[in-house]
Amino acid sequence: MESHYMQSLDWLILAIYFIVLIAIGLWASTKRKKEGSLFLAEHSLRWHHIGFSMWGTNVGPSMLIASASAGFTTGIVSGNYAWYAFVFIALLAFVFAPRYLGANISTLPEFMGLRFGQSTRNILAWYTIVTIIISWLALTLFAGGVLIRQVFDIPMWTSALVLVVISAFFTMLGGLKAVAYTNVYQMILLIVVSLILVIVGLDKVGGVSALTEKVPADYWIMFKPNSDEAFPWLPILLGYPVMGVWFWCTDQSMVQPVLAAKDLREGQLGTNFTGWLKILDVALYILPGIICFALFGDTLKNPDEAYLTMVENLFPVGMVGLVFAVLTACLVSTIGSALNALSTVFTMDVYVKNFKPGAPQWEINLVGRIIVVIGALIATVMTVAIDAIKGLNLFNVFQSVLGFIAPPMAAVFLLGIFWKRCTTHAANFCLTVGTIFCLTVGITYLWPPEWLTIQWPHFMLLSFYLFVILVVSMVIISLTDNDKTPYEIPAPVKDSLSKLAVGLWVALAAVMVGLYIYFN
């Protein structure tokens, strides 16, 4: 296996990374009780495990490359997707997490089952399984496979299989505990290497002041006017909350580390830590693209190559291997979390609930491991199939489609928690008919038929409009519904608020407001 990026020392560094990674995974698996659950780490996760795991699940190699590309072409404005997230991570910490932990659940479909009944739990379980396989597994593998094929010149199926085998190994061996422990190691490595890249790049440019002189002034503005095609401020302000609630508060892969928290205080401290880590997204992922524009803006034709251009031109032999260790770490982290979430939802919401209610723990763990293998194989096949379709930027297409998946989930969870009058029929209508409606609009938006002459709004604003339509539909159905089945909203956990957690969240909010004021 040859690569024009990698020399002998780079290969050695990469090998050391894998040895350390496997050692940590094996050590973490010994910490798990022999007959303990694979899925929630025996509710033992501390704040740093939760923070690094949530951040690690969110960070994929596609995000590194796309962020650098966005920095190269538009500056820091795409950082809104990272910085605006703190509002919804706080919503998870103080609204959703107390109810999730108070209900003592393993999965979010189980929570909605307590709220709306078994039919909603079944719908949401399959909804979650399909979403994880498509958005988390197949797309992450595809993006990672493209990168690894580019670097190591190996076929897509080989790169996808290698990645999925490594990720599945930890998930099967130690469940969420092994995934969480390895995420801490991998994300610290990511921060260190990305920081070195930024420091070396700034030194090459001539410092911060030289950088600001060499790029357009609007590269440092977070809110662009509504006339801006890519990042208008109003669609971001209204549309991102729909995605934010779905992604940060209701997605099993993201929320599972919080479900496994030692207690509510650790969960709230962990989510707060994630909020602080999200500040780094702009400095570590977008800034390299801006530096690349200052250094190589005249010669680089494809912005998607900004990240690898920086690595190839600024890093010596040995450091390149460390960068590819980091990119692999991003993949393993995301895929491992997704596989664990997939096996949790299928095992607890489908197998145990519908087929084997009294199954012993060893059988539950066995089924969970089998589902990890099946999920890994399905994702690999889908990755190869996606790669075989020519002529489309499928990654961008799928990412846009995810914007149309968010409204039904956000609507059901928000009304389910905040409005006692909301009924099962309304929730089920939103999750089925509402999803079909949103995806139909999304497909029409992406591939408009010739006869349709409509001026589409920005896709983020369209996501907001769909959310409003679904909420209004649910309100109408609930108010006219004869079903008065008294499902209770699960009560929040009774722990008193941690002064440390509240103080840190207030500090984070102050810093975020300050950053937004400074960069406008």
Side-chain angles (χ1 to χ4, degrees), residues 1 25 27 69 99 136 174 202 218 241 263 364 367 384 410 418 512:
M1 189 161 61
W27 172 75
S69 175
R99 287 167 173 80
W136 284 109
L202 280 173
D218 69 346
D263 51 39
I364 292 172
V367 172
V384 175
F418 288 110
M512 295 310 305

Side-chain angles (χ1 to χ4, degrees), residues 413-463:
F413 272 81
L414 286 174
L415 286 187
I417 282 181
F418 288 110
W419 192 38
K420 289 185 178 182
R421 183 71 178 78
C422 188
T423 65
T424 301
H425 290 145
N428 291 354
F429 174 86
C430 185
L431 289 171
T432 51
V433 178
T435 299
I436 294 167
F437 169 65
C438 289
L439 289 178
T440 303
V441 171
I443 291 165
T444 310
Y445 171 84
L446 291 165
W447 297 287
E450 291 180 7
W451 52 266
L452 188 68
T453 55
I454 186 172
Q455 190 67 39
W456 289 103
H458 189 279
F459 85 94
M460 295 287 276
L461 200 57
L462 187 56
S463 183

Side-chain angles (χ1 to χ4, degrees), residues 93-135:
F94 293 104
V95 175
F96 287 89
R99 287 167 173 80
Y100 292 158
L101 295 175
N104 194 28
I105 52 161
S106 301
T107 71
L108 302 187
E110 182 183 356
F111 179 82
M112 282 289 112
L114 295 173
R115 173 65 180 90
F116 290 118
Q118 185 59 32
S119 60
T120 306
R121 180 176 181 178
N122 288 338
I123 294 168
L124 202 52
W126 287 107
Y127 189 109
T128 304
I129 287 165
V130 171
T131 306
I132 290 172
I133 290 173
I134 293 174
S135 66

Side-chain angles (χ1 to χ4, degrees), residues 351-366:
Y351 181 78
V352 173
K353 185 64 182 176
N354 293 318
F355 297 108
K356 201 75 178 292
Q361 189 60 54
W362 68 266
E363 185 178 335
I364 292 172
N365 287 349
L366 176 63

Side-chain angles (χ1 to χ4, degrees), residues 76-77 79-80 82-86 219-223 274-283 506-520:
I76 66 168
V77 63
N80 276 297
W83 286 1
Y84 195 4
F86 90 94
Y219 266 43
W220 307 106
I221 296 174
M222 288 299 283
F223 279 141
T274 305
W276 289 103
L277 289 170
K278 289 300 290 177
I279 296 177
L280 297 179
D281 284 15
V282 172
V506 170
L508 177 61
V511 169
M512 295 310 305
V513 170
L515 284 170
Y516 266 104
I517 292 170
Y518 182 78
F519 285 105
N520 280 296

Side-chain angles (χ1 to χ4, degrees), residues 7 21 24 41 52 74 87 104 148 172 274 313 342 378 380 432 436 476:
Q7 306 299 321
L21 182 68
I24 292 172
F52 278 126
T74 59
V87 176
N104 194 28
I148 286 177
M172 291 172 67
T274 305
N313 286 281
L342 176 72
I378 292 172
T380 305
T432 51
I436 294 167
I476 292 169

Side-chain angles (χ1 to χ4, degrees), residues 207-239:
V208 175
S209 56
L211 177 64
T212 54
E213 290 170 9
K214 290 182 180 180
V215 300
D218 69 346
Y219 266 43
W220 307 106
I221 296 174
M222 288 299 283
F223 279 141
K224 295 287 180 80
N226 266 332
S227 56
D228 187 87
E229 283 188 17
F231 297 99
W233 71 269
L234 187 62
I236 290 174
L237 193 68
L238 295 177

